[in-house]
Amino acid sequence: MNHQSTTLMWFRDDLRLADNPALHAAMAAGNVRAVFILDEESEGIRPLGGAARWWLHHGLEALTEDLDAIGVPLQLHRGPAAKILHGILSAGGTSEVHWNRRYGGPERAVDIQVKELVHTAGATAHSHSGSLLHEPWVPQTQDGRAFKVFTPFYNAVQRLELRPELGIPSPQHPPVPLDNHSAGDTLAQWNLLPTTPDWSQGLTEAWTPGERGAHERLQTVLEEIAGDYETSRNRPDIDGTSRLSPALRWGHLSPIQVWESLSASIAAHPERAEGTRAMMRQLVWRDFCWNLLYHHPLLPTQNLRAEFDAFDWAWPDESGDATEETLAQHLAAWRHGGTGYGMVDAGMKQLWETGWMHNRVRMVTASFLIKNLGIHWRIGEQWFWDTLVDADAASNPANWQWVAGCGADASPFFRVFNPELQAKKFDPHGSYVTRFAPLPSAEPLVDLKASRAAALDAYAQMKER
């Protein structure tokens, strides 16, 4: 490399310095500048939801500050990634481009296009594994196929060796100056934060986006939560889960970092092993969801079990008749926590207030929409995509399909979560419901027994078809 050439680090869902394989390799090459491209225009790319946009704004603020500390300038650009990078490469001076791989179908198509552009420009392209425990094509059945059931997948992953965890790169000297002629956008120009109205106060109180906040939460998890996770994870009334999903979604932490930290905790505190291993299992479930998306790119819109294509789910707002009007009212009540069932309403209000919902309650609210209200899982998945700070392209649709019974290794459709029984069991003192839905409940939208019977009847009809 001559002294004028630079190495380009392309950030995406990996907004961190530590254990970032692409950044590590770029820094080894030297003379690094970085770019983040907000691409919501390339074909098939799913635009971010409102809560995710709020998180991205603050995550990029934190990343910019962290990169400044190691002498790496960050440029921001908005538009089709291939077009933006073509402009950067055409300006000359770039010898290498590094990025961590993505696994959704449209994202992979963009990356292939970019790799060709880089080669055409006379530079070298380097993609790395940085967002999963293992690449989606690595865990395979004995006959070389992708897994469709989680437990065999989990067992197979236990036999695989993890890549080594990487540290924070040393600062580069001298720092690379930001080229004023191609400095790109300012973060404020993207208007990612809500303004009219500003509904983000609850998010601000609940979260600290960025690598530093993620590590602080991980330390709390290791010291106070992981050991009891097996028994506490189903209790939304206590702080008993990791709440690391946004940090993993945005790459403030890598799953390798979390896995190795939990493994070290087991070694140091064997009495906490059972709960800690249960938490590690959830990291493998995350990999499993990404394996599903990699092998089934239509996961967000297509039932994995094709027989459910014949299921008579409702789609509100498609016509103006009385039935559709009732469905639309039911959907609005579900979205805004007005179903008349405390745990459902508390969960939906927690989601709106904080951009997150306890996993047990996610299952309860999803089951209520799909099975008690009879509304298609895709409508619920889209609402979660728009309102979750941890909205994940693989986990969100995979988990909705799991509840709906149409996914891989899914919960049987006849398993209908009763929100009243769930509240008695997992919120025994009523403190969770009181925290998020303190006002008297609305009149129940539907009768639980009757709506369950209707759901099972629709399921039986689907099987007959």
Side-chain angles (χ1 to χ4, degrees):
M1 176 187 298
N2 63 53
H3 70 283
Q4 294 182 327
S5 64
T6 60
T7 302
L8 185 64
M9 167 62 198
W10 180 19
F11 281 96
R12 291 99 76 80
D13 299 328
D14 52 351
L15 309 183
R16 67 180 183 276
L17 304 191
D19 196 41
N20 189 322
L23 179 62
H24 190 270
M27 296 294 283
N31 211 23
V32 180
R33 58 193 174 107
V35 62
F36 180 90
I37 302 169
L38 178 56
D39 182 1
E40 298 178 298
E41 300 177 34
S42 294
E43 184 177 358
I45 298 294
R46 191 174 188 180
L48 296 175
R53 293 162 74 85
W54 174 89
W55 190 287
L56 176 61
H57 177 98
H58 294 290
L60 286 174
E61 283 185 328
L63 179 65
T64 301
E65 182 179 339
D66 293 342
L67 286 172
D68 283 345
I70 62 169
V72 176
L74 176 65
Q75 295 182 8
L76 303 178
H77 293 275
R78 189 172 194 171
K83 180 179 179 180
I84 298 296
L85 289 168
H86 176 70
I88 294 174
L89 293 166
S90 297
T94 301
S95 59
E96 300 182 22
V97 183
H98 292 261
W99 65 82
N100 291 309
R101 287 188 281 275
R102 300 177 297 182
Y103 304 103
E107 291 80 5
R108 285 153 50 202
V110 169
D111 291 359
I112 290 171
Q113 185 180 7
V114 166
K115 187 168 287 190
E116 293 173 351
L117 285 172
V118 174
H119 291 160
T120 301
T124 56
H126 305 272
S127 64
H128 306 266
S129 173
S131 62
L132 300 176
L133 295 172
H134 302 283
E135 302 277 57
W137 52 85
V138 173
Q140 293 182 342
T141 63
Q142 291 184 349
D143 55 358
R145 294 181 297 169
F147 285 96
K148 295 182 179 180
V149 180
F150 175 67
T151 297
F153 177 87
Y154 176 77
N155 293 335
V157 165
Q158 302 305 299
R159 297 188 290 269
L160 297 174
E161 184 176 347
L162 294 175
R163 64 167 178 80
E165 182 180 350
L166 303 170
I168 297 177
S170 300
Q172 60 181 359
H173 297 291
V176 173
L178 188 64
D179 182 353
N180 292 328
H181 297 292
S182 59
D185 304 330
T186 66
L187 194 53
Q189 289 176 310
W190 290 359
N191 296 317
L192 297 176
L193 300 179
T195 55
T196 52
D198 181 359
W199 40 258
S200 65
Q201 179 180 349
L203 277 65
T204 302
E205 295 173 354
W207 303 103
T208 305
E211 192 168 3
R212 187 175 298 106
H215 280 278
E216 290 175 357
R217 178 59 186 179
L218 176 58
Q219 193 61 36
T220 298
V221 168
L222 295 172
E223 294 174 358
E224 303 175 14
I225 295 172
D228 298 322
Y229 180 75
E230 180 66 16
T231 56
S232 66
R233 63 177 179 167
N234 285 311
R235 293 283 300 275
D237 57 331
I238 61 176
D239 187 13
T241 64
S242 76
R243 290 174 62 93
L244 292 174
S245 52
L248 289 164
R249 175 340 184 175
W250 293 102
H252 303 315
L253 289 171
S254 75
I256 299 288
Q257 288 175 298
V258 180
W259 184 276
E260 296 291 16
S261 295
L262 293 171
S263 296
S265 179
I266 291 175
H269 304 282
E271 72 280 5
R272 304 178 188 174
E274 183 177 2
T276 305
R277 287 197 182 99
M279 187 174 286
M280 295 169 76
R281 187 179 176 93
Q282 297 307 306
L283 282 173
V284 181
W285 177 264
R286 178 177 177 272
D287 260 37
F288 182 61
C289 292
W290 277 101
N291 272 253
L292 294 176
L293 181 64
Y294 176 80
H295 293 287
H296 306 278
L298 298 180
L299 183 71
T301 58
Q302 188 176 93
N303 300 316
L304 280 179
R305 295 179 59 186
E307 63 266 31
F308 275 83
D309 293 346
F311 195 93
D312 191 22
W313 274 307
W315 285 85
D317 303 325
E318 288 188 346
S319 70
D321 62 27
T323 300
E324 289 299 326
E325 184 176 348
T326 299
L327 283 171
Q329 292 171 350
H330 284 182
L331 176 60
W334 176 81
R335 283 174 171 169
H336 301 294
T339 69
Y341 292 100
M343 179 165 275
V344 175
D345 293 344
M348 299 308 292
K349 290 183 177 182
Q350 180 187 28
L351 174 61
W352 185 257
E353 179 180 328
T354 71
W356 184 85
M357 189 193 300
H358 188 278
N359 189 61
R360 167 60 56 173
V361 188
R362 294 190 197 202
M363 292 189 289
V364 173
T365 57
S367 175
F368 187 85
L369 180 76
I370 296 166
K371 298 174 182 178
N372 295 102
L373 299 184
I375 294 175
H376 203 295
W377 63 265
R378 286 176 56 188
I379 292 176
E381 191 274 342
Q382 179 60 49
W383 184 252
F384 274 29
W385 178 263
D386 192 46
T387 53
L388 284 170
V389 294
D390 64 2
D392 180 287
S395 296
N396 196 43
N399 287 327
W400 272 92
Q401 291 215 40
W402 183 89
V403 174
C406 58
D409 202 10
S411 172
F413 185 86
F414 53 78
R415 184 186 181 190
V416 181
F417 288 85
N418 183 311
E420 294 180 328
L421 296 180
Q422 291 285 309
K424 289 179 181 178
K425 185 173 182 180
F426 298 116
D427 184 27
H429 308 296
S431 56
Y432 174 75
V433 171
T434 300
R435 162 70 177 84
F436 289 102
L439 299 178
S441 295
E443 189 72 21
L445 284 185
V446 293
D447 178 82
L448 294 178
K449 184 176 180 180
S451 57
R452 180 181 186 276
L456 296 182
D457 181 61
Y459 179 61
Q461 292 181 37
M462 180 204 78
K463 292 197 294 184
E464 289 179 4
R465 297 190 190 100

